[in-house]
Amino acid sequence: MRKPSALPALLLSALIGLLALLAALALLSAPLARAADNGNWSVYPASSGASARPYFYLAAAPGATLRDQVTVTNKTAAPLNLRLYGADAYNTERDGGFAVRAEQEKQSGVGAWVRPERGAITVPARSSLTVPFTLAVPEDAEPGDHVGALVALDDRIAPGPAAGGKVAVGLRQAVGARVYLRVGGPTVPALAVENVRLSQHRPLVPGAGESRTDITYTLHNRGNVTLSPKVALRATGLFGRTLLSRDPAAVPAELLPGQRVTLTETWRGSPQLDWGHVTLTASAKDAKGSAGASFLALPWPALAALVAAALAFAAHRGWRRRGRGVVVARGRLVSLTSAATRPR
């Protein structure tokens, strides 16, 4: 009997490794005064003396070509073979985090305009390598902010932990130095709150447990500059009573131009009997947007049971009244009303 081939398992492992690259690229954290680092190697703008830069911040007119250098430092005891490429940045849908596109994805901004002098590099053990690159801004580039990164990718697929004795998940590791480019021209900050939706969860019996409302909304950067939004959440009930007033914490530190992020804020202890409105107001420098949704909080199961009981009671009383309004006369059923009004 032939043994099953290991090829499908290897192909599946490689495919999972390629998909896991996206998660590795999303590890680019918020810009701090240090290099992007994964513990094995780091990537950062080349500098001299005390002029250390945590990321690239560049400005150019349409049609201009910029020249700069990126440094990759190997922190391991063996040489590292890495691929160096430019990538566009975006906000993740899940939480708005900063992430960059994989090398095989289509690049349309910084990722398409950056050209490292060397696409494949070998960094000796415990050493650094500086690579020049150019950034050519197209003549028709839109004004405003364009964000991306210079990424150093390890082509090897590192084995991950096996899940339940099945195929192990492979990981490709990547580290990138952010590139913030502003193309000359009019800047238009614009921010919108869209698609506010409320999902209410209440106990079957009012007061028998805690209720909650999940407030889902979309933040949309409709302008051409990067924004650092803040969001204010307010809920009012009948007669304008303030039920909730707070600033959601799960708001992205940076919302890139054109990006949408859908977020959910949980309101615990929301009313079980009320009628009101939820309003979300987002603001950033020179930009503001607001939207909301109304809610009707009623204990529907209890209310339905009450209505059913009332209908049953009304039906029972009506039946009893009809029963009293009929008598037997001379072997026939005669209405009391008819008998009373019939002339003698």
Side-chain angles (χ1 to χ4, degrees):
M1 182 175 176
R2 294 180 59 187
K3 293 183 179 180
S5 172
L7 183 58
L10 293 176
L11 291 175
L12 179 59
S13 179
L15 178 59
I16 295 174
L18 291 175
L19 295 176
L21 171 61
L22 298 177
L25 292 176
L27 294 177
L28 294 170
S29 58
L32 302 173
R34 58 179 175 81
D37 192 327
N38 68 352
N40 293 322
W41 69 92
S42 58
V43 185
Y44 51 94
S47 58
S48 58
S51 60
R53 298 177 291 169
Y55 53 87
F56 294 98
Y57 190 84
L58 308 171
T65 297
L66 304 177
R67 290 173 175 80
D68 211 318
Q69 296 179 315
V70 63
T71 298
V72 181
T73 296
N74 180 2
K75 299 184 174 184
T76 71
L80 277 176
N81 297 314
L82 304 171
R83 292 184 56 79
L84 197 61
Y85 70 94
D88 293 339
Y90 65 96
N91 290 102
T92 60
E93 293 183 5
R94 180 174 58 87
D95 57 4
F98 186 100
V100 298
R101 307 212 175 273
E103 185 180 16
Q104 66 271 21
E105 291 186 83
K106 182 180 178 180
Q107 315 288 347
S108 59
V110 168
W113 306 341
V114 166
R115 288 290 182 269
E117 188 177 88
R118 298 160 60 186
I121 59 174
T122 299
V123 188
R126 308 203 183 280
S127 300
S128 296
L129 179 67
T130 296
V131 180
F133 70 89
T134 59
L135 194 159
V137 183
E139 292 280 358
D140 60 351
E142 294 184 3
D145 291 341
H146 299 264
V147 186
L150 266 163
V151 180
L153 164 70
D154 188 348
D155 265 335
R156 297 172 301 173
I157 298 178
K166 298 182 180 179
V167 178
V169 175
L171 295 175
R172 272 185 169 178
Q173 298 186 50
V175 180
R178 298 191 185 195
V179 178
Y180 292 88
L181 169 69
R182 173 158 291 186
V183 175
T187 56
V188 182
L191 182 62
V193 180
E194 302 169 345
N195 304 323
V196 179
R197 302 184 300 278
L198 308 179
S199 178
Q200 301 181 69
H201 306 272
R202 293 184 297 275
L204 293 177
V205 179
E210 185 185 54
S211 60
R212 84 170 195 273
T213 299
D214 294 329
I215 305 167
T216 302
Y217 63 100
T218 298
L219 280 181
H220 184 190
N221 184 345
R222 302 178 64 182
N224 64 355
V225 294
T226 301
L227 300 175
S228 298
K230 296 185 181 300
V231 176
L233 168 61
R234 187 168 184 265
T236 56
L238 281 172
F239 312 113
R241 298 167 9 257
T242 298
L243 304 175
L244 179 68
S245 181
R246 71 175 182 224
D247 298 339
V251 177
E254 291 181 313
L255 190 58
L256 305 182
Q259 294 290 297
R260 286 184 175 92
V261 175
T262 299
L263 305 169
T264 298
E265 183 74 10
T266 299
W267 176 12
R268 300 194 179 277
S270 56
Q272 299 182 20
L273 182 62
D274 212 329
W275 183 18
H277 194 80
V278 170
T279 304
L280 291 136
T281 302
S283 58
K285 186 178 181 181
D286 301 324
K288 190 173 185 179
S290 181
S294 296
F295 68 89
L296 177 62
L298 285 176
W300 294 111
L303 185 62
L306 183 62
V307 170
L311 291 174
F313 178 74
H316 178 68
R317 290 198 62 182
W319 178 81
R320 291 190 62 186
R321 285 177 179 175
R322 285 195 301 271
R324 292 196 202 99
V326 176
V327 296
V328 177
R330 297 181 182 179
R332 294 185 303 169
L333 287 178
V334 181
S335 167
L336 284 179
T337 304
S338 301
T341 57
R342 182 179 300 168
R344 295 182 180 179

